[in-house]
Amino acid sequence: MSDQGPDATYQAALDRGEFRLQRCGDCGGAVFPPRVLCSHCGGASLSWHRAEGLGTVYSCTTVRMQPKGEAPYNVSLIDLDEGVRLMSSVTGIPSDAVRIGQRVRALVEQRGTAGILLFVPVEDKP
Ligand SMILES: [Zn+2]
């Protein structure tokens, strides 16, 4: 194991194009943001695994304060099926079209050498 902190481990995975979450070996809970101790039970046996990345939009906002010429962007809170809530952005559709309750899937986009976590809409299976 490397001695880098959990935030650096998380970002390093994104930089490789992988969305990873921590899971607690003691209580089984998913942990986000990255931590040293489990946010549910305080246990220290956290391990990294590749996230499924499916979730539901919990809340969404359109940010219009942008430099001239740049499109407004979307800031959403996403509830992952894996049990954590995180802040991200839904892309691939106009920000105004993002709806609370919409199903989304994680997508890692490379910007330079950095991986950025975004979400794209998915069709809900009946
Ligand atoms: Zn735990």
Side-chain angles (χ1 to χ4, degrees):
M1 289 299 290
S2 75
D3 58 359
Q4 65 188 353
D7 288 313
T9 302
Y10 173 75
Q11 185 59 50
L14 285 181
D15 294 349
R16 293 193 307 271
E18 290 182 14
F19 174 32
R20 288 180 172 263
L21 286 177
Q22 291 171 298
R23 188 172 293 282
C24 176
D26 293 328
C27 73
V31 176
F32 190 88
R35 296 170 57 100
V36 173
L37 298 177
C38 174
S39 51
H40 308 288
C41 73
S45 54
L46 299 181
S47 61
W48 290 93
H49 67 106
R50 192 157 187 162
E52 295 292 327
L54 282 169
T56 304
V57 175
Y58 174 78
S59 73
C60 51
T61 309
T62 299
V63 178
R64 299 180 192 281
M65 295 286 287
Q66 280 282 86
K68 200 168 190 291
E70 290 192 26
Y73 68 98
N74 172 265
V75 175
S76 291
L77 286 175
I78 312 290
D79 278 341
L80 286 184
D81 295 354
E82 290 153 289
V84 298
R85 179 172 294 168
L86 50 80
M87 186 179 289
S88 182
S89 180
V90 178
T91 187
I93 59 172
S95 181
D96 290 346
V98 178
R99 294 282 173 263
I100 290 168
Q102 182 156 24
R103 295 288 289 163
V104 291
R105 176 170 52 79
L107 167 83
V108 181
E109 187 173 291
Q110 297 298 133
R111 294 193 183 155
T113 57
I116 311 256
L117 181 67
L118 299 171
F119 284 81
V120 291
V122 290
E123 296 300 321
D124 232 344
K125 305 267 190 309

